């Protein structure tokens, strides 16, 4: 064997030397017969300069300068590379024998080493072939890394992340830095995210429309009040997603909730506990262990809640003759609890393949006590009074499974991912409604006996999403991406209504619904001369749904392939400035609750039902953004002009319906309006004024117009409004910090759509969600407005050490001035309505947390693994924006 290797080496060296001189066969074309030269071998060991222990997962790259055939300029090329083994060893094989190389060694927490290396072949008269063989197989010895104090600080001090990180295509809100949401839910987190508006019922809107809610980059059946704030790592807000992302979302963008999933080497975790001013507790903890090829994580939370709300509604009904003026007073208490659990593992099969699986389980039960009193006048004369007391119980279960695989190719940046997400949610909702009519204002003279209306309902949602993505960088400045996606969602709803023990088939319902969405996309992006960059994308989606209302009919609708293009163009300037213009087309498909044709009669002032004939609406979205980073503390200013045009907008509308000889009511439903326009400007500032004061400020001026007068006059509305939000964090000595935040929303148009019962849709509680929902009258028409609203929250935090681990005590106080309320006016043909409500003001929570763990920088795995701030990544961002 040794003789054979010597023979091969001689043949290769002789042929190479002949190629160096005239008469030796001449120069060979590139790539012709050069494979046998790649038999070189470099190896060595990387050590910690202080401990002399091997450094695992250090990056070793062998770089050679070659002439680029296109630009005719020298270009650095990575010939070989790897991460060191557990003892610090590295081995680079199959290397070319000739030429000069640079060995570059990097590791998190250490200074970079760069050194020239070469195979010192001595071939000539009197040369020793044994020495030549030894030169081909070269030991580079030990390399000792020096720790980099600056890098170590950046790695170990996780609190150094700002509350808000801004990019020209997204904003990232780091929940760990938010004091006022500790011990709460995702609704409390959203109140502090720039550009988002949250009403007292937890409904979230972005630019007056409900955004698409994702969890870890995929749609979910969870509602915001079913996700504990302490389980969230960050919120990613993408206002105008590219063709890479799901086209759903309509007039709003995507809110991606990134759950905590630590991948720090070693072990670490935390425990938490808290109590609020209503004696409701919360408790939880998480644990992460990473050793060798496995990373195991788990977290669990338990949250009790008591929600108190009250308000009134005044409704003038001019359909009847004479007209009726109804005044409704409402008091409600909602009590319950829910538990959240999540666990999973990452299996690092090798340096290029990772398999991950996770499972989440959420369960909760809430009981609702709703007391209503009605006072009715006819033509200015007293008519009757009524009490209506509702006792209900809502129970939900949610199970989510995610399986994902990631493969990295030898070429840097080239990767393939595939994942399957399965969500299953079930709920049971039962209520007893007791009511009675009286002929006097004091309810002393009954007109009727007490009646009992029973509602027994249950629901089931199954949501499956399978997706695969491929990224291929053509050069260092160009890449293309492509992917496929399939989504199947099945919803089942059963509701039985009984009046005084007798079933009422007119209002009972059994409805099944299944929708399918299939999609594929491709994007191409390029960066030109470090100043210009662009991305072109095209997404194709087809969808259809089938619905069946047992005993009443079947519904189906099919939509052929729709195309969703996207264009992003960015110009970078000196002094850290960027300008970007982007365009995309998006769709908003009707969700389950908007389609379901049964009648909900829980609100006596206005029944509600769905419309199975709804069509999707389509939105053209255009944005122009300017971002400037300035100052030594990297302060950021972001300004965005935006405009949207929507066709067939899904909108609320209301009509009067008579059901039988004794029952008639307004009915709230949905319809496709003709079109809608929206435009505005958004300004966001992030300033670190001093070492002890950070401030985030955002403001939004918004104009909207809905045009649907060709269908019905109530589908017309036009209004300009504005909002502002500020978040201050003050850091004092000895671990003390204070957070003071406030928001103001001017008189604004009624949201066109906040219903979010479908998976991944909407921006709120989703028909009650974890909180059971409030049975208050809500606007049923787009005509009208919401009066100005404002509020402030306060948080105090103290950090200290217990046995070298960090402990935290925090106190947060919401709506400290007791100013937040919902005050709206709506009108339509035959009615005018005013609603006033208040919910959960001035609640105080006290929380304690304790973080522990052992963190070894040397155990970090490949830099291409998804980091602890894992989330959706925009393809344009990958081009170096």
């Amino acid at each position: 064997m040794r003789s054979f290797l010597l023979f091969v080496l001689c043949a290769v060296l002789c042929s190479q030397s002949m190629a160096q001189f005239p008469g030796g066969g001449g120069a060979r074309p590139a790539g012709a017969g050069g494979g046998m030269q790649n038999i070189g071998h470099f190896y060595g060991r990387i050590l910690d300069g202080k401990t002399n222990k091997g450094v695992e997962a250090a990056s070793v790259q062998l770089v050679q300068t070659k002439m680029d055939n296109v630009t005719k300029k020298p270009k650095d090329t990575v010939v070989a590379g790897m991460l060191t083994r557990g003892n610090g060893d590295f081995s680079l094989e199959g290397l070319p024998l000739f030429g000069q190389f640079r060995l570059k060694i990097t590791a998190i927490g250490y200074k970079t080493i760069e050194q020239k290396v070469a195979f010192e072949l001595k071939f000539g008269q009197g040369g020793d072939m044994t020495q030549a063989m030894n030169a081909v197989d070269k030991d580079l010895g030990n390399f000792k890394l020096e720790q980099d104090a600056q890098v170590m600080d950046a790695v170990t001090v996780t609190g150094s992340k700002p509350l808000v990180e801004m990019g020209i295509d997204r904003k990232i809100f780091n929940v760990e830095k938010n004091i006022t949401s500790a011990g709460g839910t995702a609704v409390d987190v959203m109140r502090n995210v720039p550009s988002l508006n949250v009403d007292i019922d937890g409904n979230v809107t972005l630019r007056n429309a409900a955004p698409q809610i994702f969890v870890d980059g995929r749609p979910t059946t969870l509602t915001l009040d079913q996700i504990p704030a302490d389980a969230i790592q960050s919120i990613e807000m993408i206002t105008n997603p590219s063709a890479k992302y799901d086209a759903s979302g309509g007039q709003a963008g995507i809110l991606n909730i990134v759950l905590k999933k630590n991948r720090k080497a070693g072990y670490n975790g935390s425990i938490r506990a808290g109590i609020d001013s209503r004696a409701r507790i919360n408790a939880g903890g998480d644990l992460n262990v990473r050793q060798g090829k496995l990373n195991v994580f788990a977290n669990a939370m338990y949250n009790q809640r008591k929600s108190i709300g009250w308000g009134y509604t005044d409704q003038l009904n001019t359909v009847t003759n004479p007209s009726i003026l109804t005044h409704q007073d409402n008091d409600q208490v909602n009590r319950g609890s829910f538990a959240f659990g999540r666990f999973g593992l990452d299996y690092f099969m090798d340096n290029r393949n990772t398999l991950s699986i996770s499972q989440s389980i959420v369960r909760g039960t809430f009981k609702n006590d709703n007391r209503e009193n009605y006072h009715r006048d006819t033509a200015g004369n007293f008519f009757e009074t009524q009490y209506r007391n509702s006792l209900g119980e809502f129970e939900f279960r949610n199970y989510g499974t995610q399986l994902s695989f990631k493969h990295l190719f030898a070429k840097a940046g080239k990767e393939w991912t595939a994942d399957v997400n399965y969500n299953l949610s079930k709920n049971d909702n039962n209520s007893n409604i007791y009511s009675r009519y009286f002929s006097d204002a004091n309810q002393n003279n009954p007109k009727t006996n007490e009646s009992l209306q029973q509602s027994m309902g249950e629901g089931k949602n199954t949501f499956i999403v399978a997706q695969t993505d491929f990224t291929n960088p053509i050069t260092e400045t160009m890449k293309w991406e492509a992917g496929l996606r399939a989504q199947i969602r099945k919803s089942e709803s059963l509701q039985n209504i009984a009046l005084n023990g007798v079933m009422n088939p007119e209002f009972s319902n059994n409805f099944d619904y299944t929708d399918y969405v299939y999609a594929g996309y491709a994007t191409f992006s390029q960066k030109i001369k470090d100043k210009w960059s662009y991305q072109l994308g095209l997404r194709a989606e087809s969808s259809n749904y089938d619905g069946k209302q047992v005993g009443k009919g079947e519904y189906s609708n099919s939509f052929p392939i729709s195309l969703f293009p996207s264009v992003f163009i960015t110009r970078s300037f000196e002094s850290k400035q960027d300008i970007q213009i982007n365009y995309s087309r998006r769709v908003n498909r009707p969700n389950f609750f908007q389609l379901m044709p049964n009648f909900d009669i829980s609100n006596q002032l206005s029944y509600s039902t769905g419309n199975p004939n709804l069509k999707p609406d389509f939105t053209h979205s255009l944005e122009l953004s300017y971002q400037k980073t300035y100052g030594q503390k990297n302060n950021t200013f972001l300004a965005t002009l935006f405009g949207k045009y929507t066709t067939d907008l899904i909108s609320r509308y209301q009509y009067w319906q008579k059901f039988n000889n004794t029952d008639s009511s307004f009915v709230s439903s949905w319809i496709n309006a003709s079109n809608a326009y929206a435009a505005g400007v958004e300004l966001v500032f992030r300033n670190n004024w001093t070492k002890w004061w950070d401030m985030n400020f955002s403001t939004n001026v918004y104009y909207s117009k809905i045009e649907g007068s060709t269908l019905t006059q109530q589908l017309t509305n036009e209004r300009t409004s504005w909002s502002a939000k500020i978040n201050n964090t003050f850091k004092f000595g000895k671990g003390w910090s204070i957070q003071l935040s406030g928001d103001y929303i001017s008189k604004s148009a009624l949201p066109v759509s906040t219903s979010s019962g479908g998976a991944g849709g909407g921006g709120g509680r989703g028909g009650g969600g974890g909180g059971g929902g409030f049975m208050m009258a809500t606007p049923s028409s787009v005509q009208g407005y919401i009066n100005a609203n404002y509020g402030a929250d306060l948080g105090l935090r103290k950090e200290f050490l217990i046995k070298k681990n960090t402990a935290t005590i925090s106190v947060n106080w919401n709506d400290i001035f007791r100013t937040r309320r919902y005050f709206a006016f709506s009108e339509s043909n035959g009615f005018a309505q005013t609603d006033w409500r208040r919910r959960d003001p001035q609640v105080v929570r006290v929380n304690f947390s304790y973080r522990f763990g052992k963190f070894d920088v040397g155990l970090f795995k490949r830099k291409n693994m998804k980091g602890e701030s894992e989330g959706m990544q925009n393809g344009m961002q990958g081009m170096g924006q």
Side-chain angles (χ1 to χ4, degrees), residues 209-331:
Q212 186 84 340
I213 303 296
F214 283 1
V215 172
D216 287 335
R218 296 293 181 264
T220 180
T221 54
L222 290 171
T223 55
L224 293 180
D225 56 357
Q226 294 174 357
I227 305 175
D230 295 321
I232 302 173
Q233 178 177 290
S234 62
I235 305 294
E236 296 178 339
M237 184 173 65
I238 306 175
T239 55
N240 200 18
S242 72
K244 179 178 180 179
Y245 300 119
D246 183 10
S248 299
Q251 285 199 323
I254 292 174
L255 285 183
N256 181 42
I257 300 173
V258 181
L259 299 179
K260 290 180 178 178
K261 181 182 178 182
N262 209 329
R263 286 192 171 183
K264 292 179 180 178
Y267 70 90
N268 53 82
S270 67
I271 54 175
R272 295 175 296 277
I275 189 170
D276 66 22
S277 52
R278 293 173 178 168
R280 292 314 189 254
I281 64 171
N282 67 85
D286 51 71
L287 179 66
N288 184 89
V289 179
R290 179 171 177 178
Q291 185 67 41
K293 292 186 175 184
L294 285 179
N295 178 65
V296 181
F297 61 92
N299 52 59
M301 281 102 182
Y302 174 74
N303 193 311
Q304 292 181 341
R305 195 182 313 153
K306 180 181 180 181
S307 185
I308 301 175
W310 63 96
Y312 69 85
T313 298
D314 286 326
Q315 184 189 84
L316 176 62
N317 179 353
T318 59
V319 174
T320 59
N321 187 17
S323 60
I324 299 176
L325 176 63
T326 302
H327 176 83
Q328 175 207 53
D329 289 310
N330 176 280
D331 292 283

Side-chain angles (χ1 to χ4, degrees), residues 17-39:
S17 63
M18 290 177 66
Q20 306 295 321
F21 301 97
R28 293 175 300 168
M36 287 300 295
Q37 299 180 47
N38 299 334
I39 61 173

Side-chain angles (χ1 to χ4, degrees), residues 451-469:
S451 64
L452 171 61
Q453 176 185 301
Q454 294 174 291
S455 174
M456 297 148 285
E458 60 183 59
K460 179 180 178 182
N461 291 284
T462 305
F463 199 21
I464 302 174
V465 178
Q467 182 163 333
T468 181
D469 301 276

Side-chain angles (χ1 to χ4, degrees), residues 583-632:
Y583 162 82
S584 70
R585 183 176 188 250
R586 298 181 60 74
V587 63
N588 178 39
R589 298 182 179 91
N591 64 41
F592 174 69
F593 289 94
Q594 292 170 331
L595 293 169
M596 186 170 62
N598 77 300
F599 285 90
D600 180 358
I601 60 175
S602 59
N603 177 14
Q604 198 171 37
L605 291 179
S606 179
Y607 296 171
S608 62
T609 186
N611 179 2
N613 296 314
L614 282 177
K615 300 183 296 183
D617 61 42
F618 292 88
T619 297
H620 298 271
S621 179
L622 183 67
E623 289 188 356
L624 176 63
S625 300
Y626 168 77
Q627 180 175 268
K628 166 71 174 176
T629 303
Y630 57 94
Q632 296 181 351

Side-chain angles (χ1 to χ4, degrees), residues 637-656:
F637 166 66
L638 177 64
T640 304
L641 290 172
F642 58 89
K644 300 176 186 293
Y645 172 69
T646 303
T647 58
D648 295 323
L649 178 72
I650 298 174
S651 306
R652 295 177 182 271
Y653 87 111
Q654 185 163 289
Y655 58 92
W656 178 263

Side-chain angles (χ1 to χ4, degrees), residues 241-244 523 535-538 564-568 583-585:
S242 72
K244 179 178 180 179
T523 66
Q535 182 198 74
L536 305 176
L538 182 64
F564 301 94
S566 66
V567 180
F568 289 73
Y583 162 82
S584 70
R585 183 176 188 250

Side-chain angles (χ1 to χ4, degrees), residues 90-112:
F90 69 91
S91 176
L92 306 177
E93 300 179 355
L95 307 176
L97 298 175
F98 299 94
Q100 295 291 324
F101 305 92
R102 298 195 317 277
L103 189 72
K104 187 175 182 180
I105 303 170
T106 59
I108 297 177
Y110 296 94
K111 294 181 179 180
T112 299

Side-chain angles (χ1 to χ4, degrees), residues 45-49 52 113 142-146:
R45 179 171 293 180
I46 312 300
L47 303 175
D48 186 295
N52 282 327
I113 290 180
N142 294 335
F143 295 87
K144 294 188 177 182
L145 298 179
E146 296 180 17

